[in-house]
Amino acid sequence: MSSQIDHTYAVILAGGGGTRLWPKSREKSPKQFLSLVGQDTMVQMTANRISKLVPWERIIVVTNEKYRKQLETQLPQVPPSNIIAEPQKRDTALAMLVGALYAYTLDPKAVVINCASDHVVGDEAEFVRVMQAAATTAGQDPYLVTVGITPT
């Protein structure tokens, strides 16, 4: 019998348009592609963090078509087939749905963790512990588990 963690996928939402951190973030270089905290870009930090929970082949990135090449360059460990590029900007809920539906085509027992590509997480060990618990809970029954913190 396989554990629930064997069916866990991560969807990284990386389609931001560079409008909320102006002037540093622009349309051609939205904040997910900037190195704001450390050497890695925000999307690299997110993918590295989530790779402690799921293998790279179970990481799915949903983005805008204009960012596909940047993502393939910045995240060479993610299979190109797992980078889903929307032809035009849509909303977060649709991106999450597209990522989840893709995960279910790969594994009908998939449990999906949605992650923003531009969050800073200070305690990665705690993040991994909480996400593992959330994935386990979500996989036991048809639960929707939401994890959040008070932003600072």
Side-chain angles (χ1 to χ4, degrees):
M1 184 170 155
S2 63
S3 72
Q4 185 50 53
I5 212 72
D6 294 336
H7 297 285
T8 303
Y9 288 72
V11 173
I12 299 174
L13 306 173
T19 60
R20 294 193 183 147
L21 195 61
W22 186 89
K24 202 153 190 74
S25 177
R26 306 277 178 114
E27 185 178 353
K28 290 185 181 180
S29 60
K31 65 183 167 184
Q32 67 263 28
F33 299 118
L34 299 177
S35 301
L36 299 174
V37 182
Q39 289 184 296
D40 289 338
T41 65
M42 300 298 285
V43 73
Q44 288 170 327
M45 290 173 64
T46 300
N48 288 332
R49 181 171 50 250
I50 206 72
S51 74
K52 295 173 184 169
L53 285 160
V54 301
W56 287 99
E57 63 269 11
R58 283 195 262 136
I59 295 175
I60 299 162
V61 183
V62 181
T63 190
N64 187 287
E65 182 61 45
K66 63 184 163 190
Y67 302 133
R68 176 190 289 277
K69 293 293 181 202
Q70 272 182 286
L71 282 163
E72 289 175 354
T73 300
Q74 289 199 16
L75 301 177
Q77 308 92 323
V78 174
S81 60
N82 285 10
I83 298 176
I84 301 170
E86 300 173 313
Q88 55 186 269
K89 187 175 178 174
R90 297 290 182 201
D91 63 15
T92 302
L94 183 59
M96 289 166 50
L97 175 64
V98 167
L101 290 174
Y102 180 70
Y104 287 115
T105 66
L106 300 174
D107 181 352
K109 295 181 181 181
V111 170
V112 178
I113 297 171
N114 285 296
C115 298
S117 61
D118 59 358
H119 287 182
V120 175
V121 175
D123 187 343
E124 288 195 6
E126 180 68 358
F127 172 83
V128 169
R129 186 191 70 73
V130 169
M131 291 298 110
Q132 284 174 331
T136 299
T137 299
Q140 290 173 353
D141 278 308
Y143 289 123
L144 175 63
V145 179
T146 302
V147 176
I149 62 167
T150 302
T152 58

